[in-house]
Amino acid sequence: MSVAILALGVFVGGLVSLLAIWHARHNPAATRVLRIGLIVGVIVLASSALHYTLSDNHRTAQRIDLFETDPAAAMAGMANDLEGELADAPDAQGYFLLGRAREAAGQQKAAVEAFARANTLTEEPDPDLLAAEARARMGTAPPGSESRAIARQRALRALDVAPQHMWAHYTLAALYIHEGEAQAAIPHLKAVLDANVLDPQTQERLRARLASIDPTAEDASANQATAHPAFSIQVELDA
């Protein structure tokens, strides 16, 4: 609404100014009319800009308040705004961000749709987008479903493009375990542990999961480097 009012104000203000200039050209004595017309035009433009700024600031303040009381609802509102913009100008990264926003809002099925849309808009396969769709599908579809099969395809394609992609390996490991193919998960669990970017607690749980599948497997997490503190995930590898 604020954008529409700004556009209307610009149109009206500009039109008033142009009419005043035209009138002055055809009536040289009407300098007072010119001044008044220009002043009115500037006032309309300024008022529209002020309304737009205040409306935008008010809306931002409302969103900040909502984040404090209901973060999921706030993210849902932002996601709706972004989806509206993407309807006019589809963009792969935009739909990727939309998927993240939908996830944060707890709208998992909508997140899958956004990630899937992002992957249809890329000229070349993007491992981050592929892995995001794969993991989102894994979290919403039951074992044996078509969506789970698509999730596996997306994760495998991500590894074709980026063989060390940690999230693709993680997702494939979880998918194989959930589908009763635990042995196939072993190399992917090792790849995740080798990356050594998860928090120590998650590393320990993955290490224990690997040992439960293959007790003779070499400890892929022997590297004792400190894990990145930002990477803490919910382990989804319980069968």
Side-chain angles (χ1 to χ4, degrees), residues 162-180:
Q164 302 304 316
H165 199 283
M166 194 273 288
W167 287 115
H169 279 295
Y170 175 85
T171 302
L172 271 175
L175 284 168
Y176 282 131
I177 289 171
H178 290 174
E179 299 291 340

Side-chain angles (χ1 to χ4, degrees), residues 35-202:
R35 286 198 301 269
I36 293 174
L38 289 175
I39 289 171
V40 171
V42 170
I43 290 174
V44 172
L45 288 170
S47 298
S48 300
L50 179 62
H51 178 276
Y52 177 77
T53 301
L54 291 177
S55 297
D56 193 53
N57 288 342
H58 180 63
R59 189 176 190 183
T60 300
Q62 286 182 319
R63 282 278 164 78
I64 292 173
D65 290 342
L66 189 57
F67 262 113
E68 295 176 354
T69 58
D70 192 346
M75 287 303 301
M78 293 180 66
N80 291 338
D81 290 345
L82 177 56
E83 189 165 27
E85 295 177 10
L86 290 171
D88 297 327
D91 172 78
Q93 287 301 319
Y95 273 100
F96 174 72
L97 294 175
L98 177 61
R100 292 296 189 212
R102 292 299 188 196
E103 284 183 325
Q107 300 171 333
Q108 302 305 322
K109 290 185 177 180
V112 170
E113 294 174 359
F115 290 135
R117 179 74 172 118
N119 279 309
T120 66
L121 293 171
T122 56
E123 295 182 2
E124 299 291 336
D126 185 316
D128 291 332
L129 301 187
L130 290 164
E133 182 186 345
R135 192 168 180 218
R137 286 183 179 278
M138 180 186 69
T140 58
S145 65
E146 180 182 2
S147 191
R148 281 289 182 100
I150 295 173
R152 185 184 298 200
Q153 293 171 6
R154 297 290 185 269
L156 288 170
R157 186 71 182 103
L159 291 179
D160 286 341
V161 180
Q164 302 304 316
H165 199 283
M166 194 273 288
W167 287 115
H169 279 295
Y170 175 85
T171 302
L172 271 175
L175 284 168
Y176 282 131
I177 289 171
H178 290 174
E179 299 291 340
E181 303 175 50
Q183 290 297 314
I186 292 174
H188 301 292
L189 283 172
K190 288 182 176 180
V192 173
L193 290 168
D194 279 339
N196 199 47
V197 296
L198 303 176
D199 64 282
Q201 199 170 29
T202 302

